[in-house]
Amino acid sequence: MSCDEKPSTAGRRLTRVEKQAFINASASLKSKARDPHVNKRRHLYDESAAGVLADLAECGFDVQSVGELRQSGLKYQAAVPVLLGWIPRVSYLPLVEDIVRTLSVGFAKKDALPVFLHLFRYPPEVEDRMRPETSQPAKEHIRWVIGNGLGIFASPAVADELISLAMAREYGDARSQIVLNLPKVKSGDVPRVLLELLDDPTVAASAIEALGKMKFVEARERIERLLDHSDTNVRKQAKKALKRIGG
């Protein structure tokens, strides 16, 4: 464990909306307290998170869940190395997801980005005994969450890495947020990559949305062909993209 500074709320107060969201979330938790299913999940989380929460407490972060850091308004830069160190040490899916999402913030990018790039290709072993059998496999779900973080971190400095991941079709829809945020890498290769991905059903909607945000006129004809696509979201994104592109 490593923590170099204590948490502070200096210069950062919760907005009225954030305060109300926190109150609503607390009320929601209380209303669910009598639900056996919720109680069981809470027990599993608490049991799995005991170590990381203890380490966070040593750094001055007295929280009941990792996600509370995101909601608290605290400056939790000092918690970043602690959270990164715990990813390979826990396997309960909701906890690992909580850690990854809490690290998917701008001030954690320097330390978290290289870890996320590795973990996207080689996700941690995770499990959730209460996860419905019809749900996406736990491994692919956490890959999607990591990909979401990479989308948040997208910048010119990691253009090659993110373009490579976006084109790796074996990762399916876990790439969706990477594809959506490719315009942020500001590479001349992005339009070509997005056009190539229009025939990939797992990320086509994200590629269309990204082309629309870029107002990439050359994509208009290709996108028009997708207005009758069998996927509702693809059709929806095609209509929105064409409005943005205009003409």
Side-chain angles (χ1 to χ4, degrees):
M1 183 196 71
S2 173
C3 49
D4 302 319
E5 57 187 84
K6 295 297 182 181
S8 170
T9 54
R12 171 67 167 92
R13 292 186 177 182
L14 290 177
T15 66
R16 185 188 307 174
V17 172
E18 288 172 328
K19 287 179 180 177
Q20 189 59 51
F22 192 74
I23 292 170
N24 290 344
S26 299
S28 178
L29 286 175
K30 290 178 181 178
S31 69
K32 294 176 180 177
R34 293 186 295 275
D35 186 330
H37 184 83
V38 173
N39 286 339
K40 176 64 174 176
R41 279 202 169 280
R42 183 72 229 185
H43 173 74
L44 289 171
Y45 184 98
D46 291 344
E47 188 176 61
S48 301
V52 62
L53 294 180
D55 281 357
L56 288 172
E58 285 188 26
C59 288
F61 300 98
D62 187 13
V63 292
Q64 301 302 306
S65 72
V66 172
E68 193 176 321
L69 290 171
R70 303 195 303 275
Q71 303 161 352
S72 65
L74 291 173
K75 294 181 178 181
Y76 59 91
Q77 288 92 329
V80 170
V82 175
L83 297 176
L84 286 171
W86 272 95
I87 292 178
R89 299 172 63 184
V90 293
S91 61
Y92 184 50
L93 175 60
L95 174 58
V96 179
E97 177 173 352
D98 210 12
I99 292 174
V100 171
R101 290 189 183 279
T102 302
L103 288 167
S104 298
V105 291
F107 60 75
K109 178 179 178 178
K110 180 180 178 181
D111 295 319
L113 176 58
V115 177
F116 281 19
L117 286 169
H118 174 78
L119 290 179
F120 186 84
R121 293 184 183 276
Y122 308 101
E125 293 297 325
V126 290
E127 53 81 27
D128 179 2
R129 289 169 286 175
M130 298 181 68
R131 190 171 178 78
E133 292 183 5
T134 54
S135 296
Q136 182 184 41
K139 181 178 180 180
E140 294 311 310
H141 178 75
I142 200 62
R143 196 196 303 271
W144 189 97
V145 176
I146 295 165
N148 179 66
L150 288 172
I152 293 170
F153 293 155
S155 71
V158 285
D160 291 344
E161 293 91 334
L162 294 188
I163 288 174
S164 176
L165 291 178
M167 296 181 69
R169 298 193 178 209
E170 64 269 27
Y171 297 130
D173 69 355
R175 301 169 293 149
S176 61
Q177 295 302 303
I178 295 174
V179 172
L180 180 60
N181 286 283
L182 277 185
K184 289 161 58 177
V185 308
K186 302 186 183 303
S187 166
D189 290 330
V190 168
R192 172 186 60 79
V193 171
L194 293 174
L195 287 171
E196 288 183 14
L197 294 174
L198 290 179
D199 67 354
D200 182 340
T202 62
V203 294
S206 296
I208 294 167
E209 187 174 354
L211 287 165
K213 288 181 177 180
M214 293 176 68
K215 297 183 179 179
F216 190 64
V217 176
E218 290 84 348
R220 184 188 299 115
E221 185 177 342
R222 290 284 306 278
I223 294 175
E224 285 176 344
R225 299 176 197 166
L226 298 171
L227 289 171
D228 296 321
H229 197 278
S230 59
D231 186 290
T232 304
N233 193 34
V234 169
R235 296 197 303 270
K236 175 183 176 182
Q237 295 303 330
K239 290 178 182 177
K240 290 172 62 176
L242 289 171
K243 285 183 179 179
R244 285 175 172 156
I245 292 171

